[in-house]
Amino acid sequence: MNFQSPPSQLRSAFLSTSYGTAQRRYQLSHAGGVLPFWSLPQQRWAILTAWNPHGQASDPASNAEAQSRLRAALAAWPALEGVNGEGNWAEPSLIVPALNLRRALEIGQDFGQAALIWGVGRRAALVWCAPDVRVERFWMAAAGAYGTGQKGLLC
């Protein structure tokens, strides 16, 4: 496959974003990681959103409707309400334990997402949802102080 690199601004947004709940935040890191509170050591998990398909800002009503459809699509999994990004860049997400990569990718593609976060234990991957899928490997690291002005995603 001939992967076409995502725009650097979009990739930077995913890499600088914090993920988790409003109370406990994590970031992708190349340094050793920590086990996110929603996971067990060897447990698979995914962070998915339906907001802003194809990396383009959508209106709030369209985003809310898409997120509602995502919740319905994941009704069989016990998902935790999460948030990607902060402040004006915050987007609701679902943290889904035990979701395998193939299903997470199908859902991301079905909802027009540029990428998603998928992991096992403290390992994480930025998975680009383009037809020629690309996976970038990271660790989950505790994010710095909440509210530091980090930019959010434009998934």
Side-chain angles (χ1 to χ4, degrees), residues 10 45 100 134:
L10 183 60
W45 51 267
N100 69 47
R134 180 176 176 202

Side-chain angles (χ1 to χ4, degrees), residues 117-143:
I117 307 298
W118 185 84
V120 176
R122 60 190 179 132
R123 292 296 310 209
L126 175 57
V127 181
W128 294 96
C129 296
D132 51 347
V133 176
R134 180 176 176 202
V135 176
E136 297 183 55
R137 291 180 173 87
F138 297 94
W139 296 95
M140 289 303 281

Side-chain angles (χ1 to χ4, degrees), residues 41-114:
Q42 306 307 315
Q43 182 184 35
R44 297 176 298 196
W45 51 267
I47 299 175
L48 300 163
T49 185
W51 276 49
N52 301 323
H54 309 291
Q56 302 298 313
S58 256
D59 65 273
S62 295
N63 281 331
E65 189 275 329
Q67 193 71 11
S68 179
R69 286 187 294 112
L70 176 63
R71 277 189 196 91
L74 290 166
W77 284 272
L80 174 66
E81 293 287 333
V83 62
N84 300 343
E86 299 177 4
N88 292 336
W89 294 100
E91 299 177 351
S93 65
L94 295 174
I95 302 167
V96 189
L99 191 64
N100 69 47
L101 178 56
R102 182 179 308 259
R103 185 65 183 126
L105 182 58
E106 287 170 357
I107 292 168
Q109 290 172 334
D110 287 349
F111 284 86
Q113 296 302 295

Side-chain angles (χ1 to χ4, degrees), residues 22-40:
Q23 296 77 28
R24 295 180 77 180
R25 312 292 288 160
Y26 301 88
Q27 288 183 288
L28 299 174
S29 171
H30 286 294
V34 298
L35 186 66
F37 75 89
W38 60 77
S39 183
L40 299 170

